[in-house]
Amino acid sequence: MYSHEIDYKIIGEDIQIVEIELDPNETVIAEAGAMVYMEDGITFETKMGDGSNADNSVLGKIFQAGSRLLTGESLFMTHFTNRGYGKRKVAFAAPHPGTIVPINLATMPGNTLIAQKDSFLCAALGTKVSITFNQRIGSGFFGGEGFILEKLQGDGLAFVHAGGTIVEKYLNNETLRIDTGCIVAFEPTLSYDIQRAGNLKSMVFGGEGLFLATMRGTGRVWIQSMPLSKLIRTLSPYGQNTNKEGGSVLGGLGNLFED
């Protein structure tokens, strides 16, 4: 199924919304609760799955929708369609402050983008949204946000959300190590693994976590400065007691460890 061609405008700087303009009978799919406003003539319907395969059986739709529960997302997606006679607009926003990034899946290797499970916001109808598991078992135990990933496939526009500022890095047969929660999305040509972060002292007292994500190969990766998990920790009433240098209730005992 070919994706619908949609026009869009991103509004705002730090807390953005994406306004999508639909021609008659064009449809955009979105996460439940993401809609901010819509003009007269646009109707919406909640469905199981993304609608990328209209011939899918009932059991197939249930399996596709049920797999989204593993990512922590809603069982359903909302389909917004312009039923009017002229162009109509509908707007979406992410659930926390950050940046919205438009990505043309037609320019991705294999028309595929791998994304963190909570970064998908909306996309043109025809985009297939499924889950994929990191093949490394270590990612399952230690990767946190990076074990269960979403796979976006299609030839149209998809919009992902990043917390804080977003940085796009291109790796040319290179290696980049990233906080596991700071990866937004990456091209499937890159390999993804979880590795130990430094020596014992760094792991226990460094404040950077025990493990880091390692990206290798050639392709693009999008990185966010403030993932939701980090924002929650920062705003936590206990956040004021966190010592960046110590990173632990053991505090100065870090000096007992030699580099």
Side-chain angles (χ1 to χ4, degrees):
M1 177 179 179
Y2 291 106
S3 299
H4 287 194
E5 296 183 8
I6 57 176
D7 299 316
Y8 72 94
K9 178 173 66 175
I10 293 178
I11 303 171
E13 297 295 333
D14 300 321
I15 306 177
Q16 295 183 328
I17 67 173
V18 56
E19 184 183 75
I20 294 177
E21 185 177 74
L22 299 176
D23 291 328
N25 296 318
E26 280 186 342
T27 299
V28 61
I29 60 174
E31 289 290 356
M35 192 271 292
V36 178
Y37 61 83
M38 60 183 182
E39 294 182 343
D40 188 36
I42 290 182
T43 63
F44 65 93
E45 184 178 2
T46 301
K47 299 181 179 182
M48 281 189 177
D50 51 42
S52 59
N53 188 354
D55 298 327
N56 213 358
S57 65
V58 174
L59 287 178
K61 292 178 180 178
I62 292 175
F63 176 80
Q64 181 192 40
S67 66
R68 285 171 47 80
L69 292 178
L70 294 176
T71 69
E73 303 291 353
S74 169
L75 186 66
F76 300 92
M77 298 189 76
T78 309
H79 296 226
F80 295 83
T81 304
N82 181 5
R83 300 299 185 188
Y85 293 101
K87 295 178 181 291
R88 296 291 187 270
K89 297 175 181 177
V90 57
F92 305 97
H96 58 93
T99 306
I100 296 174
V101 184
I103 295 177
N104 185 356
L105 295 177
T107 66
M108 298 290 105
N111 289 10
T112 299
L113 180 73
I114 308 300
Q116 283 280 23
K117 60 182 182 177
D118 57 355
S119 64
F120 172 72
L121 182 61
C122 60
L125 179 65
T127 303
K128 182 178 180 181
V129 183
S130 59
I131 66 169
T132 180
F133 293 95
N134 192 288
Q135 295 179 354
R136 302 277 187 167
I137 190 169
S139 302
F141 289 118
F142 307 115
E145 300 93 333
F147 177 48
I148 301 177
L149 303 165
E150 282 191 323
K151 181 188 294 184
L152 309 180
Q153 297 172 289
D155 59 3
L157 284 172
F159 298 86
V160 296
H161 177 260
T165 300
I166 190 164
V167 177
E168 178 184 320
K169 301 281 287 185
Y170 178 78
L171 304 185
N172 183 14
N173 196 26
E174 297 172 296
T175 297
L176 185 67
R177 306 184 76 188
I178 311 168
D179 183 292
T180 55
C182 289
I183 297 175
V184 177
F186 56 92
E187 294 182 333
T189 51
L190 292 173
S191 67
Y192 174 67
D193 194 12
I194 300 296
Q195 295 187 344
R196 194 180 70 179
N199 57 28
L200 181 59
K201 181 179 178 181
S202 298
M203 292 175 66
V204 177
F205 302 104
E208 303 300 335
L210 300 181
F211 297 87
L212 293 174
T214 301
M215 309 293 303
R216 289 189 177 92
T218 298
R220 287 179 291 175
V221 56
W222 288 263
I223 304 168
Q224 59 187 346
S225 64
M226 182 60 73
L228 181 59
S229 58
K230 186 177 292 187
L231 178 62
I232 291 174
R233 289 197 302 268
T234 302
L235 298 178
S236 166
Y238 301 103
Q240 61 192 15
N241 296 325
T242 299
N243 186 320
K244 182 65 177 178
E245 294 181 358
S248 168
V249 293
L250 298 179
L253 291 181
N255 295 326
L256 297 178
F257 290 84
E258 296 296 332
D259 292 332

